[in-house]
Amino acid sequence: MSHRELSGVAIPALDVGALFDVTTEDGVFTRIEPSGARRGGEPELWPGYTETHAHVSLPANWDDTADDPRTVALQYLYHGVTHVVDMFGFPLVADAWEAGRAASPWPFPEIVHCGYAVTATTDTAGRTGHGVEFPAPVHMLSVEADLDHALRANAERGGTFLKVMFTDGTEQPGSPVKFSRLSERVLRFTARIAAERGITAVIDCNTLQETRWAYACGFRLFAHTMRDRTLDAADWAEFEGARFVSTLTGLRPMVMTGEEFLAEYGHEGFAETQDPRNLEFVRGIEKPYGIEFGCQDTRTAALADMRRNALAALGRGALLVGTDSGNTGTYHGYSFLRELDLLRGDDPALDEALRRQATLGGRRYFDQLRGDPSPAHPLRVGASATYNLFAPGRPLAALPLATVVRGVEIDRPAIARTIADLRTAHPETHLEGEVAP
């Protein structure tokens, strides 16, 4: 039987001014009791991080290889991510993930997924719906009747929510249209049927106009923040009750130089968890891919708009922290801490609000997507003892002092050794695809 006691730790998610004594037995909290007032400098206990926008099956490495799902799970654990929302493609790797879970000495992160996303069919200009370009299946909707097949198929694969791809790919005013979009009729029908069946729907939009259309059709959960303009107070008033995922790290690799990549990859956790060939690759990058693809200026402007909109959403309690990991250069686990860094910038006043949304806010979102819209607090007696402990005075994006999953403390050096062994014994899978803007 496992037993753990923590004395005099802060738990800001319960009370910002109090200290607590905490006991866990056999993987659950058995005591969480106030034990005095905070004096400053105490370790902080928070729920584990939740990655709210991931794609476990997509190839994050620069050589277009996808890591073994067991490696992905360990990458998340290493960085304190205990819950993962997979936005499409997980059925491709579900069996390998479950086999890894069964054989692992550490409990895997919990995962919730949608099955496969739904998107538009090819339009008269030959453009496909967003999602078709990735090496994972998507359902294409032409008429309302197509939705029923997608929902049934995803439910059979274990999907618990619906991911709708609805963007034409424009990022800034005047940038080119890249994808077809669902018709307003099909979009409105999709939102209505999902609501009638009790299925939470998440939609992928880029622009303010797309977000307005989706909101008017009934969508309230958005997989990205808007990237074509910085919203003002009047704009935000239109989106009461909506929430947005940040995903800055998913866009940033397109505009980075080789020197910026090398500096980025120098943070703790990269060498221990990621394929070293990525370092070799970025040393040879002579200019950002944004220049090669003719989108450096628009992508840079889009990132600035996304960050400003993400921080505005944070101030409204409407931000979810997620990375779009699985896209090239957006690594599982590692990118989550970089996302916090990008959001924070040089403003330490954002630290607690960001950590709260990355833990408690993300966990409530995770529970909603798995069908529990009114979850109990994750830090309570009887709940699973899954948490991160943070050392006082460390940067927001630093690794947790300790990560505990269902009562088991994660051994980071041992995880790093296991990842290295997996890379040797099980080479990564090559998937069709290419770096794309």
Side-chain angles (χ1 to χ4, degrees):
M1 298 201 327
S2 63
H3 176 88
R4 183 183 301 269
E5 291 188 2
L6 297 169
S7 298
V9 296
I11 310 182
L14 294 179
D15 187 327
V16 296
L19 295 177
F20 292 83
D21 292 338
V22 178
T23 303
T24 67
E25 298 274 0
D26 296 331
V28 300
F29 292 111
T30 55
R31 181 173 68 115
I32 303 176
E33 294 181 356
S35 59
R38 291 195 69 170
R39 298 177 296 277
E42 303 90 357
E44 291 189 352
L45 186 153
W46 289 86
Y49 285 132
T50 295
E51 164 65 91
T52 61
H53 190 140
H55 303 284
V56 172
S57 67
L58 295 188
N61 299 307
W62 285 98
D63 62 359
D64 210 29
T65 57
D67 283 330
D68 187 302
R70 293 170 295 181
T71 298
V72 172
L74 298 181
Q75 288 168 336
Y76 279 121
L77 288 179
Y78 190 98
H79 291 90
V81 177
T82 62
H83 292 74
V84 177
V85 176
D86 192 286
M87 282 292 182
F88 75 80
F90 184 76
L92 285 176
V93 298
D95 290 345
W97 179 279
E98 289 306 317
R101 183 200 299 273
S104 174
W106 303 284
F108 271 26
E110 293 188 43
I111 194 162
V112 64
H113 69 93
C114 65
Y116 298 125
V118 298
T119 192
T121 54
T122 304
D123 64 15
T124 56
R127 294 180 295 241
T128 62
H130 183 31
V132 174
E133 74 275 23
F134 293 113
V138 294
H139 298 285
M140 289 182 283
L141 307 183
S142 178
V143 295
E144 291 94 325
D146 295 333
L147 179 64
D148 187 62
H149 168 76
L151 293 176
R152 285 189 290 105
N154 284 339
E156 290 170 1
R157 295 181 174 99
T160 61
F161 66 96
L162 177 66
K163 170 70 180 298
V164 180
M165 308 295 276
F166 180 67
T167 180
D168 65 10
T170 59
E171 293 190 327
Q172 290 279 290
S175 59
V177 172
K178 295 188 291 187
F179 307 113
S180 61
R181 277 196 306 229
L182 295 167
S183 69
E184 190 265 344
R185 186 187 75 250
V186 172
L187 189 67
R188 190 175 296 277
F189 177 82
T190 299
R192 179 173 65 81
I193 293 301
E196 289 177 359
R197 298 188 185 184
I199 300 170
T200 301
V202 183
I203 192 162
D204 183 301
C205 298
N206 279 7
T207 67
L208 175 58
Q209 186 60 68
E210 288 172 345
T211 305
R212 280 173 169 155
W213 286 333
Y215 187 92
C217 287
F219 293 92
R220 295 296 181 269
L221 298 176
F222 295 87
H224 304 282
T225 50
M226 285 155 280
R227 63 185 72 172
D228 65 325
R229 60 171 283 184
T230 298
L231 275 62
D232 59 24
D235 296 325
W236 281 109
E238 299 179 33
F239 300 112
E240 181 68 28
R243 284 175 284 166
F244 302 84
V245 185
S246 53
T247 64
L248 302 180
T249 49
L251 250 66
R252 192 161 173 259
M254 183 60 55
V255 301
M256 294 171 66
T257 65
E259 291 78 11
E260 288 171 328
F261 278 117
L262 289 172
E264 180 77 11
Y265 294 175
H267 290 281
E268 59 182 346
F270 184 90
E272 294 83 356
T273 62
Q274 304 303 324
D275 191 327
R277 289 175 297 182
N278 289 302
L279 277 172
E280 299 170 12
F281 183 90
V282 299
R283 287 191 182 101
I285 294 178
E286 297 180 356
K287 61 182 179 181
Y289 280 96
I291 294 176
E292 179 180 338
F293 285 101
C295 65
Q296 183 75 4
D297 291 342
T298 56
R299 175 61 59 89
T300 301
L303 276 164
D305 282 327
M306 287 179 73
R307 181 174 183 270
R308 288 189 288 264
N309 289 332
L311 294 181
L314 176 69
R316 291 165 169 77
L319 181 70
L320 297 158
V321 179
T323 68
D324 215 353
S325 58
N327 281 291
T328 304
T330 312
Y331 303 103
H332 299 287
Y334 179 82
S335 292
F336 192 86
L337 300 187
R338 306 283 64 77
E339 187 78 19
L340 289 173
D341 221 10
L342 290 174
L343 288 165
R344 178 192 188 271
D346 297 324
D347 189 354
L350 297 173
D351 285 3
E352 182 164 329
L354 284 169
R355 184 158 283 162
R356 184 177 295 272
Q357 291 306 102
T359 58
L360 188 62
R363 176 63 179 278
R364 286 175 168 162
Y365 180 64
F366 180 95
D367 288 339
Q368 179 182 359
L369 295 184
R370 70 175 172 184
D372 184 6
S374 301
H377 201 289
L379 302 179
R380 70 185 193 283
V381 170
S384 172
T386 296
Y387 59 87
N388 283 324
L389 195 65
F390 295 96
R394 293 275 284 154
L396 174 68
L399 288 169
L401 178 66
T403 297
V404 176
V405 180
R406 298 186 286 282
V408 177
E409 183 168 358
I410 301 307
D411 183 337
R412 286 193 175 83
I415 282 181
R417 292 192 296 270
T418 302
I419 289 174
D421 291 343
L422 284 169
R423 291 198 191 285
T424 301
H426 302 277
E428 293 86 345
T429 301
H430 184 81
L431 299 174
E432 295 299 323
E434 61 182 16
V435 177

